[in-house]
Amino acid sequence: MKADGYTLDVPVSVDDLRAAVLGGNAAFYGQPANVAAFVDADIIVRNTTHLAEVEAVWGPAPGRVQSDGRRVFVLGKQFGNIFVGLQPTFGYEGDPMRLLFERGFAPTHAFAQFYLWLRNTFEADALLHFGMHGALEFMPGKQAGLGGNDWPDRLIGEVPNIYLYAANNPSEATLAKRRSNAVTITHLTPPLAAAGLYKGLVDLKDSLTRWRSLAPAAPERADLEALIAEQAAVVDMSGHAPAALWLKLLEAEAALIPDGLHVLGRPMSAAARADYLNLLPPMDAAERARIDAQLQQDTEIPGILRALSARFIAPVPGGDLIRSPQILPTGRNIHAFDPFRMPTEFALRDGAAQADRLLAAHPTLPRSIALVLWGSDNIKSDGGPVGQALALMGARPRFDSYGRLCGADLVPLAQLGRPRIDVLMTLSGIFRDLLPLQTKMLAEAAYKAAMADEPLSQNFIRAHALAYAEQMGVDMETASLRVFSNAEGAYGSNVNQLVDSSAFGQEDELADAYEARKSFAYGRDGKAVKNAAMLQKALKNVELAYQNLESVELGVTSVDHYFDTLGGIARAVKRQRGSDTPVYISDQTRGTGKIRTLRDQIALESRSRTLNPKFYEGLLKHGAEGVRQIEAHVTNTMGWSATAEAVDPWVYQRLSETFVLDEAMRKRMAALNPVASARMANRLIEASERSYWTPDAATLAALQGAADELEDRLEGIAAE
Ligand code: BEZ
Ligand code: MG
């Protein structure tokens, strides 16, 4: 930027930058970052056009969030003409009462003033949002075509919005474009590598390799099997015969994991690049050479600079490099898809095959399935998961004479060859926003199935709808509602926030939040109508719940959104039925899909990622952010206990041993990120208090001692 003529005092190192932004006077004001400016209450009152709406939710200016009662704080630090700011949080993260409301209300005073200050006081010519999952584009308002009455528009106004975005997240990027006028600049995600084996897993593999080479009647067989059982116990894999153990071990060894983090503008090492190229789909030598060359260039920082100079940014589809090499070069502006053509014929076939795998994996033919649908998995697969829903119900999309999606038709029972399965479809707010035609199509498929004159033994949708209509005194249109999501303009179930801030008591409160947020039924007209009773009725019949996993980078323990959606519905089903519901992950990350129980998925990710030195050392190279990501894995793991009870106790034991009870590791992580280290220790204790695992007295005492030490360290830092 300096070379481009910006006035800029560049900190000497990343650590200096972090210290200036996150340190400074932060402790003095009790804030998470340096306080760069204040906006007094009387200024807020004078200058805020929509003040009444903010005050209705957050009280008289300046409110309590990021404020000292007289003024709100603007967090960040100025370096020459560049202001590096911290976007305030939504404000309701730690507040269980607010998290239970079904609507996103209004930004906090601090949030609104942050943007107004940037525009009117600092007078920014452009904003660069750095990273993804921001809050601005999720503020209340219309889904698309925003105007002056929608919060994102009120906040960002006409300031150019440049948004650095992960190349593999076209769904949220599209939302950022639609709802905050963003020009996205893609960046690569971390290189991928095979997880490999470590510690006791290597010993176990040695023994299993030997066992496989033995003749059936070999005399040493019994001894070797005893050793294998011992070695399996050491790595928490008891209870499997050697042949099954072998397959499980190979799966863990071959699992793909992200190798650390991507650093903007820094091409990956030659070794990482070679590994990565080996994972790409078959292609000719010229194509491979092109990708190899592109991976060695930095196109991302130049992309940001181009955008800041208001120059054209070329478009690019979003996707993962291992399936879509056309995402290179990065540094371009993400576009999504043609909404009229989804699901494609390929996606329908792929969806039908994956639906068959799901049915084969479950011991009985389910009458009702809960399927969580996200935007990202559908956009990247041209509608694969939507194809699964249609296949389960026995329906197909209908296209008009221009080839545009216009509804759904039933596949005749004779052709389907099995009963129509009832599918309760819960959409992320992002899916609902991005795929309105598909939302209507799915509602129409459920309605047509409910109305079909077919034997009830062959049509579970109709059987259930007739029963609901009679029991609830509603018409068939209402009794066939199966597509549920948030209220318009609202996103997520808030289950993740409740877990993250430890703001729930009994787990049923998570079901309450889920139902309150996700009880908006989307019918054939695409309009949302709140109908909690119908959601509850449908939840009561659900025999299994599942969701697709589409990105290697983000496993179910990497981000909190999976337990927010799939975990949320699992808890809601459990509450309605009073019993555990089988939960599956439909793994579509590589080639042919696979179905895994959620418990197996979490065990696999714990083994191949969180507890794997190759994985965590890759993260720890990145200092504070690496520690934060490890802590997030621990919190997300607890999220799965709280919602789906799908975590084996050994996972907590090993997390404790690896990251907290090992003194050298604890000190190393605390030096890099004291806040995240303390959170992690406290989270493991919280998990034991909630009985998600039962450590022995010595382990618990050691955890408590470590947590106290980490807390003391934090207090020491604050006092300095
Ligand atoms: C989605 O693509 O629908 C989605 C992405 C991130 C979090 C939750 C949902
Ligand atoms: Mg978030």
Side-chain angles (χ1 to χ4, degrees):
M1 290 183 85
K2 208 165 182 173
D4 250 21
Y6 292 87
T7 313
L8 184 59
D9 305 325
V10 192
V12 181
S13 68
V14 171
D15 284 338
D16 287 351
L17 172 65
R18 182 183 302 112
V21 175
L22 297 183
N25 61 18
F28 180 77
Y29 290 105
Q31 293 299 308
N34 182 63
V35 176
F38 307 93
V39 186
D40 290 340
D42 56 333
I43 307 268
I44 299 178
V45 170
R46 203 173 323 134
N47 293 347
T48 313
T49 321
H50 307 284
L51 185 68
E53 287 175 46
V54 178
E55 293 197 325
V57 182
W58 299 104
R64 292 167 199 264
V65 179
Q66 209 173 299
S67 116
D68 64 0
R70 289 185 294 130
R71 54 204 178 165
V72 296
F73 303 127
V74 175
L75 302 183
K77 177 86 182 169
Q78 192 164 341
F79 302 93
N81 282 357
I82 312 296
F83 179 73
V84 177
L86 262 85
Q87 187 183 56
T89 58
F90 282 101
Y92 51 60
E93 286 79 2
D95 181 343
M97 282 323 290
R98 285 198 199 281
L99 289 172
L100 284 174
F101 287 120
E102 68 270 19
R103 279 187 170 278
F105 279 131
T108 60
H109 290 287
F111 199 100
Q113 297 311 316
F114 178 69
Y115 282 91
L116 295 180
W117 181 87
L118 286 172
R119 283 163 57 191
N120 302 330
T121 305
F122 181 70
E123 297 188 324
D125 296 311
L127 283 181
L128 168 61
H129 282 99
F130 200 95
M132 60 182 182
H133 301 315
L136 172 71
E137 62 272 24
F138 290 101
M139 285 295 166
K142 290 206 293 278
Q143 297 166 13
L146 272 64
N149 273 328
D150 300 301
W151 271 110
D153 213 65
R154 288 172 174 176
L155 294 167
I156 187 119
E158 278 149 22
V159 186
N161 182 12
I162 299 154
Y163 207 151
L164 180 72
Y165 227 90
N168 67 350
N169 194 347
S171 61
E172 284 183 275
T174 304
L175 222 94
K177 291 162 68 115
R178 287 192 186 167
R179 303 195 82 238
S180 66
N181 309 323
V183 172
T184 55
I185 306 293
T186 53
H187 69 77
L188 207 58
T189 48
L192 303 179
L197 297 178
Y198 53 95
K199 297 186 195 157
L201 296 169
V202 181
D203 303 333
L204 178 60
K205 188 177 178 191
D206 287 345
S207 301
L208 284 166
T209 308
R210 229 177 95 84
W211 176 85
R212 284 166 49 84
S213 69
L214 288 185
E220 61 267 53
R221 215 177 165 84
D223 283 350
L224 191 53
E225 285 176 5
L227 175 63
I228 288 171
E230 260 172 53
Q231 289 175 324
V234 171
V235 294
D236 315 293
M237 292 176 93
S238 293
H240 303 284
L245 212 45
W246 174 254
L247 292 180
K248 268 201 163 341
L249 211 57
L250 290 190
E251 183 179 48
E253 184 175 25
L256 288 185
I257 60 171
D259 182 3
L261 301 169
H262 174 64
V263 179
L264 188 69
R266 190 192 294 166
M268 64 185 73
S269 70
R273 201 172 69 243
D275 279 354
Y276 212 165
L277 284 170
N278 282 335
L279 299 172
L280 298 185
M283 62 183 72
D284 63 35
E287 172 75 349
R288 181 170 291 267
R290 180 184 70 83
I291 292 174
D292 194 27
Q294 281 171 337
L295 284 174
Q296 296 178 57
Q297 289 159 6
D298 171 25
T299 47
E300 299 173 355
I301 291 178
I304 293 176
L305 291 172
R306 279 182 69 84
L308 285 170
S309 325
R311 287 157 73 201
F312 176 65
I313 305 296
V316 64
D320 295 82
L321 185 60
I322 52 166
R323 273 172 303 169
S324 314
Q326 66 273 20
I327 66 161
L328 294 177
T330 48
R332 289 186 285 166
N333 193 0
I334 294 191
H335 67 78
F337 55 98
D338 179 350
F340 288 108
R341 299 180 60 83
M342 180 196 288
T344 57
E345 192 57 38
F346 178 84
L348 290 171
R349 281 188 201 181
D350 177 65
Q354 191 66 0
D356 285 344
R357 280 184 209 108
L358 176 73
L359 295 178
H362 194 64
T364 55
L365 183 71
R367 292 173 60 87
S368 179
I369 290 177
L371 167 57
V372 176
L373 289 169
W374 280 10
S376 53
D377 46 3
N378 280 287
I379 288 175
K380 290 195 219 168
S381 62
D382 294 319
V386 161
Q388 293 166 21
L390 291 173
L392 291 167
M393 291 187 284
R396 279 189 61 84
R398 186 174 65 252
F399 294 92
D400 69 14
S401 52
Y402 296 101
R404 293 180 311 197
L405 180 66
C406 64
D409 291 320
L410 295 183
V411 173
L413 279 175
Q415 194 181 325
L416 185 61
R418 57 156 168 77
R420 297 189 198 285
I421 292 164
D422 200 350
V423 189
L424 173 60
M425 295 157 274
T426 45
L427 314 181
S428 70
I430 297 173
F431 180 112
R432 177 230 28 225
D433 283 5
L434 297 184
L435 300 168
L437 296 174
Q438 287 71 15
T439 302
K440 286 195 251 185
M441 171 191 69
L442 292 170
E444 183 176 328
Y447 173 79
K448 282 191 169 166
M451 298 304 287
D453 184 11
E454 293 171 345
L456 301 188
S457 65
Q458 292 300 305
N459 183 337
F460 303 145
I461 305 167
R462 179 165 174 77
H464 291 153
L466 287 170
Y468 299 165
E470 184 179 319
Q471 292 159 16
M472 301 173 73
V474 297
D475 59 17
M476 284 297 275
E477 185 88 46
T478 308
S480 64
L481 291 170
R482 295 292 183 278
V483 181
F484 286 83
S485 187
N486 296 85
E488 286 195 47
Y491 303 85
S493 78
N494 286 346
V495 167
N496 55 355
Q497 313 272 16
L498 285 163
V499 168
D500 189 60
S501 52
S502 307
F504 67 103
Q506 296 304 309
E507 285 77 8
D508 275 354
E509 291 168 31
L510 303 176
D512 286 336
Y514 185 86
E515 287 181 18
R517 297 276 299 179
K518 290 283 180 184
S519 57
F520 292 78
Y522 286 74
R524 287 191 290 159
D525 60 1
K527 301 241 161 58
V529 178
K530 188 174 168 77
N531 195 335
M534 183 54 70
L535 175 64
Q536 287 164 356
K537 207 66 177 157
L539 286 169
K540 216 177 168 71
N541 278 324
V542 166
E543 289 172 44
L544 71 93
Y546 85 104
Q547 179 169 4
N548 292 279
L549 186 69
E550 43 81 20
S551 156
V552 174
E553 189 205 351
L554 302 179
V556 301
T557 54
S558 319
V559 288
D560 60 11
H561 305 92
Y562 283 105
F563 80 76
D564 189 55
T565 54
L566 181 62
I569 196 165
R571 179 51 69 180
V573 170
K574 174 164 180 160
R575 202 246 307 262
Q576 291 300 329
R577 290 175 73 90
S579 64
D580 280 335
T581 318
V583 183
Y584 297 93
I585 293 294
S586 155
D587 180 347
Q588 301 245 290
T589 54
R590 294 174 85 177
T592 324
K594 253 192 117 125
I595 306 290
R596 238 177 247 120
T597 65
L598 175 62
R599 182 175 293 278
D600 281 351
Q601 179 71 29
I602 291 167
L604 175 63
E605 285 185 19
S606 301
R607 240 178 225 120
S608 60
R609 297 184 183 217
T610 326
L611 296 167
N612 181 353
K614 185 169 176 181
F615 179 81
Y616 63 71
E617 289 296 344
L619 284 175
L620 288 174
K621 276 190 221 137
H622 299 273
E625 174 61 13
V627 179
R628 194 192 69 81
Q629 298 231 0
I630 294 170
E631 183 271 320
H633 277 82
V634 175
T635 294
N636 299 333
T637 299
M638 201 197 79
W640 284 118
S641 288
T643 54
E645 300 175 22
V647 185
D648 292 325
W650 66 260
V651 175
Y652 291 106
Q653 179 72 32
R654 301 298 178 205
L655 289 171
S656 302
E657 290 166 4
T658 308
F659 298 116
V660 184
L661 302 182
D662 179 315
E663 188 180 345
M665 180 58 99
R666 178 174 74 245
K667 296 219 145 86
R668 185 175 155 209
M669 290 174 72
L672 294 171
N673 190 333
V675 175
S677 295
R679 269 174 67 92
M680 181 156 63
N682 285 320
R683 190 70 75 189
L684 290 162
I685 294 169
E686 179 186 354
S688 91
E689 284 166 359
R690 293 187 186 275
S691 300
Y692 301 152
W693 68 306
T694 315
D696 59 37
T699 304
L700 189 56
L703 263 181
Q704 196 64 61
D708 291 345
E709 172 195 308
L710 291 163
E711 294 281 355
D712 287 349
R713 191 188 165 107
L714 276 183
E715 277 161 32
I717 294 170
E720 265 171 32

